[in-house]
Amino acid sequence: MKRLFLLFPCLLSLTHAATESDVLVYGATPGGFCAAIAAAREGASVVLLEPTDHVGGVNTGGLSFSDSNQTVRSTVMGLFDEWHSRIEKDYEERGIELPYNVSVKDQSKWTYEPSVAMRITRQMLDEAKVQVLTKQILQKALKEGPHITGVKTDQGEFTAKTFVDATYEGDLLAAAGVSWTIGREGKKEFGESYAGKQYPKAKMPINGFDAEGKILPLLTTDDAGPEEEGDKNVMVYSFRLCVTKEAANRVPFPKPANYDPARFEAVRRYFAEEKRPHILWDLYPLPNNKFDANNGIGKQFSMGLVGACNGWSEADAAGRKKIWDAHKQYTLELYHFLTTDAAVPEHLRAELGELGLCKDEFPEYGHWSPQLYVREGRRMKGMYVVSQKDILDQPEKEDAIAVSSFPIDSHDCQRVALKDGGVINEGTIFPVRIPGRRHGYAYHIPYRSLLPLAQECDNLLVPVALSCTHVAISSIRVEPTWMILGQSAGIAAALAAKQDLAVQKLPYADLKERLLAQKQVLDLPVLEELPPEAVKAMSIDPAKLPGIVLDDAQAELSGTWKHSSGFKPHVGNGYVHDDRRADGKSVATFKFKAPAAGKYDLRMAYSAHSTRATRVPVAIQSGSHSARILVDQTLSMAEGESFRTVGSVMLSAEGECILTVRNEDTDGFVILDALQLVKTGD
């Protein structure tokens, strides 16, 4: 991993830098540089130490698509808004029109180039007179009782009155002896439905084992662990690469050393089964004909090297370099595979092959991002642990220092080879948004969640690796939120230093006054009412059909079912499908009474397609009669018909009839639109 020194005017050699300050911030992430700037604007002397030679974290390291488009933007203000406004002005002054207006707080996508983000970050740090020192690898936190007196890096010692740990990994809090955790909680620990193991993605109908019975490369385990329990896995890391198709600015991807095509056998098997193949990277358009390439949260394979990030936070600098290099090697190999291997459809090979690295981005790093996207690291066990209930049920706090509203959203943690067949990704939490809105639930982040227990440390604030659960960090973890948390931490650190107080003793009224003075927003938003939902026109009215009609809307559903109306005609207002999960957990149950005993034709309505399951189990129990039928949903209806006869059953007029449709051992999408029972005999 090549690392070069970034020349900030405020970057000083240690011999010319102050080793004493009011506030010391460790970690020049977006949360870190905002903490440093905020503290300096409060009149504190500030030193910002960064263990690598890169300042700005992912904001200047390739993440160029602001996730604030999935928040209530009117609440994401302060330094975050100023930073974006300055980026907008930078483009305007160069005559470049952006497709958004920062003053308009809508859900548009705010994009920028990494080099512009770095220029603005540099300007703001310089103006605040923050002393920035890079390549300062933490060796030890110096303490007297619960009080940090200084830190020792591989370059020297620094003292301060208050400290801010703004690393993604929680390095300073761990060095200071503050309690922490990593990984995921079980469901019962904090009563979180999104805790434990999560399986929202469809099972891939591929064999996850080689001829010798070993799991394939890129798969992490054949035992994901009990569904209710937590583990030490963290969500996948990846790079955010800045790429382009522009020939004049395009640098070809380096060819990977020691490329082994066998490493991608699982991806090869995936493409052989995938009916709708697509590019496995997410690409977000940027100014000047560039793209931000990201790991696709909804994709089965993508830029993230699942499982390889475990151990990053706990590793020393040499260990992290090894993990960083492994992620770069994987990304280069993946690009090579996707652009050269015959298993990948030709049009996808050609489309991805048009992309190269940007000549005018990261030139000192060979045009490769210097920053690995660390989505999740250590989490402090502090005065207050933010959990799912604080996001969805109890959003208001008396000591609010930020309003967060990004959806709960986690990437994969494991990729599992199933012993009974198939491969499934585990750990994804698809964005949990307010129904009908494009953002998550708004909630307060309390000051207490940035504070260690007083007996462990009384002059440290932690705005990035703050005290929360895995479910909560899945919402908090985006840079807009970390920037406003960093600003709040910097203000609190400056006030505590000025008043010579333990951070736990800082009066909230004093803090709130300065937060508002620095243009933070602390009130939960009052959202405009959504317009009345339009009543969807029925494709086929079930009330006008003969016999017993069981529409999907009448079913008791358990497991995962997704509503759709894309294929027509359909009965009622649409249909549901199991998202090709084939896990046996998607069950639809109908309960009804037969008007008369006798023999009935069982008919099923579904949208036939080659991606549908060929063995959908339908079971019916009526009195002493029972039947089980396997339905092939790839078979088309007769011309002009909306239902297809799939069997005949006997129904009793006594008691309740129960009909179930499930996705057990299925091999494609299970469609539940409607069933019809028409009496044909006694």
Side-chain angles (χ1 to χ4, degrees):
M1 175 172 58
K2 187 178 180 183
R3 295 290 199 181
L4 298 174
F5 191 71
L6 291 172
L7 296 177
F8 281 66
C10 54
L11 285 174
L12 303 173
S13 66
L14 189 56
T15 56
H16 296 95
T19 58
E20 296 182 11
S21 60
D22 295 324
V23 175
L24 185 145
V25 180
Y26 189 72
T29 62
F33 73 69
C34 284
I37 292 166
R41 289 184 180 181
E42 291 297 310
S45 58
V46 183
V47 169
L48 174 59
L49 300 182
E50 165 58 34
T52 73
D53 63 358
H54 173 73
V55 172
V58 290
N59 269 26
T60 58
L63 188 153
S64 305
F65 167 33
S66 173
D67 290 305
S68 64
N69 68 301
Q70 296 189 68
T71 68
V72 182
R73 271 214 173 106
S74 60
T75 66
V76 191
M77 299 298 289
L79 285 175
F80 169 80
D81 193 65
E82 179 184 337
W83 188 79
H84 261 291
S85 296
R86 286 182 175 223
I87 286 175
E88 182 181 44
K89 184 179 179 182
D90 182 286
Y91 280 104
E92 287 176 353
E93 290 177 345
R94 292 182 289 125
I96 299 173
E97 185 177 351
L98 295 174
Y100 59 84
N101 185 334
V102 173
S103 65
V104 178
K105 307 305 181 188
D106 58 11
Q107 259 57 57
S108 60
K109 297 173 181 177
W110 294 358
T111 58
Y112 47 85
E113 297 159 277
S115 52
V116 177
M118 179 63 80
R119 182 160 58 244
I120 298 307
T121 302
R122 180 186 300 126
Q123 289 172 0
M124 293 176 70
L125 285 165
D126 289 346
E127 290 168 9
K129 294 182 172 54
V130 174
Q131 295 193 51
V132 183
L133 290 166
T134 58
K135 296 187 284 190
Q136 298 284 334
I137 299 173
L138 184 64
Q139 303 292 309
K140 186 178 182 180
L142 308 173
K143 291 182 73 179
E144 293 180 0
H147 198 76
I148 302 175
T149 58
V151 296
K152 182 179 180 180
T153 74
D154 60 343
Q155 302 297 316
E157 291 188 10
F158 302 83
T159 61
K161 296 176 181 177
T162 55
F163 295 79
V164 177
D165 183 350
T167 60
Y168 293 122
E169 299 85 2
D171 287 339
L172 180 53
L173 74 88
V178 172
S179 299
W180 56 273
T181 187
I182 199 163
R184 302 182 289 177
E185 292 80 10
K187 292 182 184 296
K188 292 181 180 179
E189 193 168 344
F190 288 88
E192 297 174 306
S193 61
Y194 290 105
K197 309 303 187 298
Q198 298 290 318
Y199 297 94
K201 289 186 178 180
K203 181 174 74 173
M204 292 177 270
I206 63 173
N207 184 359
F209 298 90
D210 64 16
E212 297 177 356
K214 298 178 181 178
I215 63 172
L216 295 174
L218 305 185
L219 278 59
T220 62
T221 185
D222 60 2
D223 182 5
E227 193 164 328
E228 297 291 314
E229 295 182 10
D231 56 31
K232 295 302 181 183
N233 292 308
V234 298
M235 72 176 86
V236 68
Y237 297 175
S238 62
F239 287 101
R240 297 292 289 261
L241 298 181
C242 193
V243 296
T244 186
K245 297 180 181 180
E246 290 284 322
N249 196 34
R250 181 183 179 277
V251 177
F253 272 80
K255 289 188 178 179
N258 305 314
Y259 171 68
D260 181 5
R263 186 181 192 187
F264 295 92
E265 177 59 26
V267 190
R268 201 172 281 113
R269 295 180 185 184
Y270 160 75
F271 272 119
E273 295 294 331
E274 177 57 61
K275 305 301 182 184
R276 292 179 290 178
H278 47 268
I279 283 185
L280 297 184
W281 295 8
D282 277 0
L283 296 169
Y284 313 134
L286 304 180
N288 290 320
N289 300 312
K290 299 174 183 177
F291 296 91
D292 173 356
N294 187 23
N295 183 68
I297 189 172
K299 296 177 179 178
Q300 299 284 21
F301 294 91
S302 192
M303 294 178 71
L305 183 53
V306 177
C309 55
N310 294 325
W312 167 274
S313 292
E314 303 94 319
D316 60 13
R320 288 181 187 174
K321 181 183 184 301
K322 185 176 180 180
I323 295 171
W324 192 99
D325 289 342
H327 280 78
K328 182 176 181 180
Q329 177 70 14
Y330 164 74
T331 310
L332 289 173
E333 288 188 14
L334 177 65
Y335 178 85
H336 187 75
F337 170 80
L338 293 175
T339 55
T340 64
D341 199 284
V344 182
E346 185 177 359
H347 71 284
L348 296 182
R349 279 181 272 150
E351 187 176 350
L352 196 62
E354 293 178 353
L355 294 172
L357 302 173
C358 295
K359 187 183 297 183
D360 60 353
E361 299 290 349
F362 311 120
E364 64 270 48
Y365 301 102
H367 313 288
W368 192 270
S369 169
Q371 178 67 56
L372 187 62
Y373 191 1
V374 178
R375 292 182 170 90
E376 176 183 23
R378 292 185 183 95
R379 301 188 306 281
M380 178 173 65
K381 296 169 74 172
M383 289 185 67
Y384 187 91
V385 181
V386 180
S387 65
Q388 180 177 315
K389 68 176 173 57
D390 297 293
I391 299 173
L392 302 182
D393 303 319
Q394 301 171 21
E396 195 165 357
K397 299 291 181 288
E398 293 182 352
D399 58 341
I401 54 158
V403 174
S404 178
S405 57
F406 186 77
I408 299 171
D409 172 318
S410 174
H411 288 245
D412 296 332
C413 298
Q414 302 185 87
R415 184 173 291 129
V416 188
L418 300 173
K419 296 174 183 176
D420 57 354
V423 171
I424 192 164
N425 287 299
E426 188 278 316
T428 294
I429 303 173
F430 285 129
V432 180
R433 300 186 178 95
I434 298 176
R437 301 186 188 273
R438 294 162 64 186
H439 56 73
Y441 292 81
Y443 58 98
H444 282 145
I445 297 178
Y447 178 55
R448 287 163 292 161
S449 66
L450 273 60
L451 304 179
L453 298 175
Q455 64 268 28
E456 292 186 344
C457 192
D458 63 6
N459 63 336
L460 175 67
L461 295 112
V462 184
V464 178
L466 71 163
S467 181
C468 64
T469 65
H470 166 77
V471 173
I473 201 66
S474 297
S475 167
I476 296 168
R477 66 179 181 82
V478 291
E479 304 304 328
T481 306
W482 274 335
M483 289 173 78
I484 55 178
L485 285 173
Q487 181 177 6
S488 298
I491 294 170
L495 291 177
K498 183 177 181 180
Q499 299 179 27
D500 194 24
L501 288 173
V503 291
Q504 293 87 354
K505 299 293 186 181
L506 182 65
Y508 176 67
D510 293 355
L511 176 57
K512 181 178 180 180
E513 178 185 353
R514 298 311 306 160
L515 295 176
L516 295 175
Q518 285 206 22
K519 300 181 180 179
Q520 292 278 40
V521 171
L522 301 178
D523 291 331
L524 292 175
V526 178
L527 302 176
E528 293 183 6
E529 288 190 14
L530 293 170
E533 188 173 355
V535 178
K536 297 177 181 177
M538 288 192 180
S539 180
I540 299 171
D541 187 349
K544 297 180 179 179
L545 296 172
I548 304 167
V549 178
L550 307 174
D551 185 35
D552 66 284
Q554 301 167 248
E556 296 176 11
L557 301 177
S558 61
T560 297
W561 292 96
K562 295 188 175 181
H563 185 270
S564 182
S565 57
F567 284 86
K568 293 181 175 61
H570 52 69
V571 176
N573 293 323
Y575 53 90
V576 294
H577 64 84
D578 76 329
D579 204 23
R580 204 175 184 176
R581 292 174 58 83
D583 58 4
K585 297 178 182 178
S586 299
V587 181
T589 303
F590 297 92
K591 298 177 181 179
F592 62 96
K593 295 201 71 172
K599 187 176 182 181
Y600 285 74
D601 252 3
L602 176 60
R603 304 172 184 177
M604 196 171 195
Y606 57 86
S607 52
H609 193 271
S610 60
T611 61
R612 306 307 188 228
T614 61
R615 302 184 306 277
V616 178
V618 179
I620 190 164
Q621 181 72 44
S622 179
S624 61
H625 306 295
S626 64
R628 187 174 186 272
I629 298 167
L630 295 177
V631 180
D632 185 349
Q633 293 191 335
T634 67
L635 298 180
S636 300
M637 309 292 162
E639 187 173 352
E641 296 293 327
S642 302
F643 287 80
R644 182 173 74 83
T645 297
V646 296
S648 62
V649 297
M650 295 297 295
L651 297 184
S652 170
E654 302 296 325
E656 191 174 52
C657 304
I658 299 175
L659 185 149
T660 60
V661 179
R662 61 182 67 235
N663 69 342
E664 186 175 9
D665 296 326
T666 50
D667 55 356
F669 287 94
V670 173
I671 306 298
L672 179 65
D673 185 0
L675 295 114
Q676 184 183 35
L677 293 125
V678 178
K679 194 169 187 295
T680 57
D682 295 326

